[in-house]
Amino acid sequence: QVQLVESGGGLVQPGGSLRLSCAASGSIFSISSMGWYRQIPGKQRDLVATISSAGSPNYTDSVKGRFTISRDNAQNTVYLQMDSLKPEDTAVYYCRAIVKVVQWRVPNIYWGQGTQVTVSS
């Protein structure tokens, strides 16, 4: 089994910064894409940013220039540096990883438990 454990959420004032971390552990052969999604109550879960195993990032338009995604492949960890935060960034942020547990099996998608980010004065 694979577990994703997130940390780093909290309350921050508009214009402030937070850094989210997500560490994958368990029976892991390889991880391709890792990423962050966010969800507001009553709304669908939306993409924030993803990063390939080679380090190529992808961002939703609303966070470009403010958020930076990175990963440490040796530690199976993905980070999201969030700067210039706005109240509309308030949401539960979920980590997602596409993981192969053995070489010859198709990869599965795993999700973290979510961490609350609140941007408010």
Side-chain angles (χ1 to χ4, degrees):
Q1 193 56 279
V2 176
Q3 299 83 39
L4 301 182
V5 178
E6 299 137 339
S7 61
L11 172 65
V12 65
Q13 292 186 342
S17 297
L18 282 175
R19 188 186 195 217
L20 305 183
S21 299
C22 171
S25 63
S27 180
I28 297 172
F29 173 77
S30 66
I31 302 177
S32 55
S33 176
M34 300 187 80
W36 294 93
Y37 291 70
R38 63 188 179 188
Q39 189 171 24
I40 300 168
K43 302 280 189 175
Q44 68 179 20
R45 192 172 295 183
D46 293 326
L47 167 73
V48 176
T50 60
I51 186 167
S52 69
S53 57
S56 178
N58 177 57
Y59 300 96
T60 192
D61 286 345
S62 63
V63 308
K64 285 180 180 177
R66 300 189 298 121
F67 291 10
T68 303
I69 189 169
S70 60
R71 65 189 282 177
D72 181 336
N73 290 332
Q75 299 295 324
N76 291 329
T77 300
V78 63
Y79 306 95
L80 186 67
Q81 177 67 41
M82 304 186 292
D83 299 319
S84 303
L85 281 159
K86 303 176 181 179
E88 51 263 44
D89 295 317
T90 296
V92 177
Y93 283 69
Y94 294 90
C95 172
R96 189 190 84 156
I98 301 176
V99 180
K100 275 192 176 183
V101 295
V102 292
Q103 183 177 9
W104 56 85
R105 295 182 71 173
V106 297
N108 293 320
I109 295 174
Y110 295 89
W111 291 92
Q113 80 283 359
T115 185
Q116 177 70 46
V117 171
T118 302
V119 185
S120 175
S121 55

